[in-house]
Amino acid sequence: MIGPIPVSLVRCLNYDPDGVRQSLREALDPLGGMGALISPGHKVLLKPNLLQGKPPEKAVTTHPEVIRAASLEIMEAGGTVFIGDSPGSGSLSSVLSKSGIAGVVEDLGLKVVPFRTPVPVSVPVGGVYHSIELAGEAFEFDLIVNLPKLKTHAQMVLTLAVKNLFGTVVGAAKPSWHLKAGDSDHMAELLLDIYRTVAPGLNILDGVLGMEGNGPGSGAPREVGLLAASPSALALDLVVSSLLGVDAKENPVLRRSMERGLPGSMPEQVKVFGLSPEDASVDDFILPASYTRVDFSLPDFISGPLKRSASSYPFLDPSICTTCGICEGVCPVSAISLFDDGGGDVDKSICINCFCCQEMCPEGAIRPVAGSLLKILKRLGVA
Ligand code: SF4
Ligand code: SF4
């Protein structure tokens, strides 16, 4: 791309269908409109955030009206719209139905594409990985339009446009990748390689109703009133992360992207249109309890109980847990032992702090809890 990468920020206070469509058009204007990306006859894949089957007011999934507005713009430009994902839990059809998106699919005649077939896909030169197994179905389109939801994330601090593409990893392979990647910096490297491989042509962030606190599955809905759009998922994340008060160095995806020198990772490579960053900034956005500042790290020789007390681990609340067993099933290291009457133990000596359990718990019964040393360090402002 020649010149600065555009990122549009547009106010959108609610999900009134006409209002969302108007805001989306405003957001796409500086990018040349949808017609600049789509020619008649193009097959276009929408990739929303379909983590779990939750109603729109829970802010877990991309809102149906954002999907409707994006679809109408694509159809008006002559494209045919497909919608696909591999949800964290539940089938694609059940998540579409519970999230209210099935109504839009039916109204507009969208074609549904479950991501089922893992195929090895080469990562462009310069990646950490040479090849990653991703859903083959995602690579059958002229254009991918990424439709992330603005949310917090216990392991990655935020889930925005880059993280949303982890949905192209098929089903049960997701926890295995967490195990392979290990910590959040290595996970960020994987996400960046997936982003460069999937290469969405357009990213539209649903930040009208976002999620703060212990996201991405069970945080608190937060009215942010924002739609953002950019041809670069990374540039979009860079701008929005800053609006939410998360410095790029404290966001693993952005930190690693800067170190790799990826396009869109530096503020001087980006031009913001629409709202000024000052007008769009979000006051007192609540980050996950597991969040620590980047300059906090213990020396390598400190390990065992001391290191564990300086980290965050999942807590299973027995008063909410229904003993469904999903967390046990997704834990890549089998660290969870459930109790018969609800709740359970986490073996901290093997837990890798991926928070897949918290992300997938359908009841919101798991939350990150800082160890005693970490609590003290946070109070002192050094973590
Ligand atoms: S903590 Fe959540 S995922 Fe785990 S068994 Fe209980 S309800 Fe299910
Ligand atoms: S207990 Fe939870 S956070 Fe720990 S490794 Fe298992 S899934 Fe990840």
Side-chain angles (χ1 to χ4, degrees):
M1 181 174 296
I2 298 165
I5 301 169
V7 176
S8 284
L9 303 175
V10 171
R11 190 58 75 213
C12 184
L13 295 176
N14 58 49
Y15 289 110
D16 166 68
D18 293 338
V20 174
R21 183 98 190 266
Q22 180 57 33
S23 296
L24 179 59
R25 283 186 167 164
E26 281 174 37
L28 295 178
D29 263 355
L31 282 53
M34 197 65 93
L37 295 165
I38 293 168
S39 300
H42 269 178
K43 288 167 64 187
V44 181
L45 176 70
L46 300 182
K47 165 61 186 84
N49 186 318
L50 297 177
L51 174 66
Q52 291 170 352
K54 291 284 164 91
E57 61 272 19
K58 294 283 185 188
V60 172
T61 49
T62 306
H63 196 280
E65 291 308 327
V66 174
I67 291 169
R68 184 191 304 276
S71 301
L72 288 170
E73 289 299 307
I74 293 165
M75 291 158 81
E76 201 170 281
T80 306
V81 185
F82 298 73
I83 182 167
D85 200 0
S86 171
S89 62
S91 68
L92 180 58
S93 62
S94 107
V95 173
L96 289 172
S97 166
K98 290 177 182 165
S99 61
I101 297 168
V104 176
V105 168
E106 200 178 315
D107 287 352
L108 303 182
L110 310 187
K111 296 173 178 35
V112 176
V113 184
F115 292 174
R116 288 195 179 117
T117 319
V119 294
V121 186
S122 297
V123 174
V125 175
V128 169
Y129 296 85
H130 295 298
S131 166
I132 302 174
E133 280 209 340
L134 299 171
E137 292 86 357
F139 295 88
E140 295 168 357
F141 298 89
D142 297 302
L143 180 80
I144 295 178
V145 175
N146 188 20
L147 294 175
K149 186 82 170 169
L150 183 159
K151 296 190 288 182
T152 48
H153 192 279
Q155 185 190 29
M156 306 307 293
V157 187
L158 296 171
T159 167
L160 302 169
V162 171
K163 172 70 178 64
N164 190 45
L165 298 169
F166 193 51
T168 57
V169 172
V170 176
K174 290 187 179 81
S176 316
W177 272 110
H178 276 281
L179 179 59
K180 206 178 288 185
D183 63 21
S184 58
D185 271 291
H186 288 94
M187 192 64 196
E189 298 286 18
L190 172 67
L191 294 174
L192 288 167
D193 276 357
I194 292 175
Y195 153 60
R196 293 170 64 249
T197 306
V198 175
L202 175 63
N203 305 272
I204 300 166
L205 175 79
D206 172 10
V208 180
L209 184 68
M211 179 184 286
E212 64 182 3
N214 294 323
S218 51
R222 166 80 189 255
E223 288 179 2
V224 176
L226 182 74
L227 273 188
S230 177
S232 162
L234 199 45
L236 189 151
D237 284 12
L238 180 70
V239 171
V240 175
S241 184
S242 155
L243 300 179
L244 300 173
V246 180
D247 187 88
K249 292 193 184 71
E250 298 172 357
N251 177 326
V253 164
L254 298 176
R255 181 165 70 237
R256 298 306 299 168
S257 71
M258 283 191 294
E259 286 163 13
R260 283 166 70 167
L262 296 180
S265 63
M266 303 298 287
E268 57 270 24
Q269 298 169 338
V270 175
K271 182 166 182 185
V272 176
F273 291 86
L275 293 172
S276 69
E278 294 73 34
D279 287 341
S281 75
V282 183
D283 291 336
D284 306 320
F285 189 74
I286 300 170
L287 297 172
S290 50
Y291 168 72
T292 55
R293 288 169 43 200
V294 68
D295 54 1
F296 166 69
S297 60
L298 289 175
D300 285 345
F301 63 83
I302 295 179
S303 59
L306 185 56
K307 190 141 197 163
R308 289 200 284 279
S309 87
S311 304
S312 294
Y313 289 91
F315 168 73
L316 283 65
D317 188 334
S319 68
I320 305 174
C321 173
T322 59
T323 65
C324 70
I326 288 176
C327 55
E328 253 186 338
V330 298
C331 178
V333 292
S334 302
I336 297 176
S337 310
L338 290 177
F339 303 143
D340 289 344
D341 51 354
D345 252 346
V346 172
D347 183 343
K348 297 187 178 72
S349 67
I350 57 173
C351 172
I352 58 169
N353 314 91
C354 65
F355 293 101
C356 290
C357 51
Q358 182 247 357
E359 183 167 345
M360 294 304 153
C361 173
E363 307 299 332
I366 303 181
R367 61 179 184 270
V369 173
S372 47
L373 177 55
L374 182 56
K375 276 186 195 147
I376 294 168
L377 294 171
K378 280 187 172 210
R379 242 177 268 137
L380 294 172
V382 294

